């Protein structure tokens, strides 16, 4: 498989559930990102990892917990979410974070619905 | 604050030309990206501009004026498959990507 993959593609969960989103990139990149995409709003950067180290955490609530065990895998652990967390969660990767011309390659996203 | 403005929605006819504008106010500038996103799919890279002028790539061209904080994406010979959202994003002085909300382009036969 090539590019950036995400599982699951769709997820419905209750506010008391715990679930995890998975992202895998097959591009040999060193940086990985989590974004939240809500309807008619700009992409919101949540977390950035560069060489497995977290370099950005854009004031994301603690109910979202990222994990990056290696440069190819990124997880987003979810617990006690709120209905307003319903959105498309996109994973992306790039050769490195920061620096010029850092094209990001995106996965297809996980459509999350919190009931 | 940092801000990227682009129209919410545009409609165009198959075979025609459409120009999608993007204006930005950011803390510094290190380049501007255009991405295409079909409904339910991943955003995919279209173009990158860091110097003023026009970059042409097949049916798509992207223009940048840094002094005006302005860019546009020009799509020629529109096809039905061009129906998608087009996202403008600017790399700021900290090399963080600042995203616009996207322009939904509807192509009619």
């Amino acid at each position: 498989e090539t590019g950036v993959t995400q599982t699951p593609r769709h997820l419905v969960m209750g506010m008391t559930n715990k679930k995890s989103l998975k992202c895998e990139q097959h591009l040999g990149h060193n940086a990985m990102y989590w974004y939240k995409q809500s309807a008619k709003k700009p992409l919101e950067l949540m977390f950035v990892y560069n060489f497995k180290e977290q370099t950005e955490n854009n004031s994301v609530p603690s109910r979202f917990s990222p994990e990056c065990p290696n440069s190819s895998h990124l997880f987003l652990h979810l617990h006690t979410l709120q209905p307003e967390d319903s959105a498309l969660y996109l994973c992306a990767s790039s050769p490195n974070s920061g620096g010029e011309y850092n094209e990001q390659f995106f996965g297809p996203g996980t459509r999350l619905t919190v009931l | 604050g940092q801000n990227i403005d682009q129209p919410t929605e545009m409609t165009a006819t198959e075979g025609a030309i459409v120009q999608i504008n993007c204006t930005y106010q950011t803390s510094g500038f290190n380049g501007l990206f255009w991405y295409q996103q079909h409904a339910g799919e991943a955003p995919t890279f279209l173009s990158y501009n860091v110097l003023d002028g026009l970059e042409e790539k097949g049916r798509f061209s992207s223009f940048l004026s840094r002094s005006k904080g302005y860019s546009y994406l020009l799509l020629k010979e529109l096809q039905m498959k061009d129906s998608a959202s087009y996202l403008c994003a600017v790399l700021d002085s900290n090399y963080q990507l600042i995203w616009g909300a996207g322009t939904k382009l509807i192509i009619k036969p």
Side-chain angles (χ1 to χ4, degrees):
Chain A
E1 207 162 357
T2 59
V4 182
T5 59
Q6 289 186 243
T7 54
R9 293 295 309 276
H10 300 272
L11 179 61
V12 179
M13 58 187 289
M15 289 190 285
T16 58
N17 292 158
K18 287 186 180 182
K19 297 286 184 183
S20 295
L21 310 185
K22 179 183 176 183
C23 175
E24 186 173 356
Q25 58 96 0
H26 309 267
L27 301 169
H29 290 164
N30 295 312
M32 297 187 78
Y33 310 77
W34 278 119
Y35 285 94
K36 177 183 179 182
Q37 188 176 35
S38 303
K40 299 185 179 179
K41 289 187 178 179
L43 283 173
E44 298 174 46
L45 180 64
M46 300 174 73
F47 301 104
V48 181
Y49 279 81
N50 200 30
F51 291 96
K52 302 188 299 178
E53 298 296 322
Q54 188 178 121
T55 57
E56 290 287 337
N57 175 343
N58 278 3
S59 304
V60 180
S62 59
R63 57 186 184 269
F64 295 92
S65 174
E67 179 190 359
C68 188
N70 54 61
S71 294
S72 300
H73 293 85
L74 186 63
F75 296 89
L76 188 63
H77 304 300
L78 316 171
H79 64 98
T80 59
L81 294 191
Q82 305 297 311
E84 60 264 29
D85 297 323
S86 298
L88 181 69
Y89 288 84
L90 289 165
C91 173
S93 71
S94 64
N96 292 290
S97 70
E100 298 178 359
Y101 191 69
N102 213 7
E103 179 187 339
Q104 294 183 15
F105 294 77
F106 285 84
T110 296
R111 173 67 63 185
L112 174 67
T113 303
V114 181
L115 302 177
Chain B
Q2 309 208 85
N3 195 48
I4 309 282
D5 285 315
Q6 46 182 137
T8 303
E9 187 173 299
M10 298 182 69
T11 302
T13 305
E14 191 177 14
I17 299 173
V18 71
Q19 177 176 310
I20 302 174
N21 295 325
C22 171
T23 57
Y24 61 89
Q25 299 93 39
T26 56
S27 57
F29 178 84
N30 280 301
L32 185 144
F33 291 84
W34 283 97
Y35 278 79
Q36 180 191 59
Q37 185 178 24
H38 285 100
E41 297 184 14
T44 54
F45 170 82
L46 285 178
S47 67
Y48 171 75
N49 294 69
V50 67
L51 299 176
D52 289 352
L54 188 68
E55 295 276 345
E56 297 187 73
K57 195 184 290 186
R59 294 189 298 114
F60 292 9
S61 304
S62 56
F63 171 83
L64 176 68
S65 169
R66 288 171 298 172
S67 62
K68 295 181 179 178
Y70 167 69
S71 172
Y72 67 72
L73 182 69
L74 190 71
L75 292 75
K76 302 176 185 176
E77 301 167 19
L78 285 170
Q79 302 175 9
M80 298 303 293
K81 68 178 182 179
D82 297 329
S83 292
S85 287
Y86 291 86
L87 311 179
C88 174
V90 171
L91 208 55
D92 71 7
S93 57
N94 294 320
Y95 295 100
Q96 280 234 22
L97 265 180
I98 311 300
W99 293 85
T103 298
K104 182 178 180 181
L105 178 63
I106 299 168
I107 309 297
K108 295 187 174 179

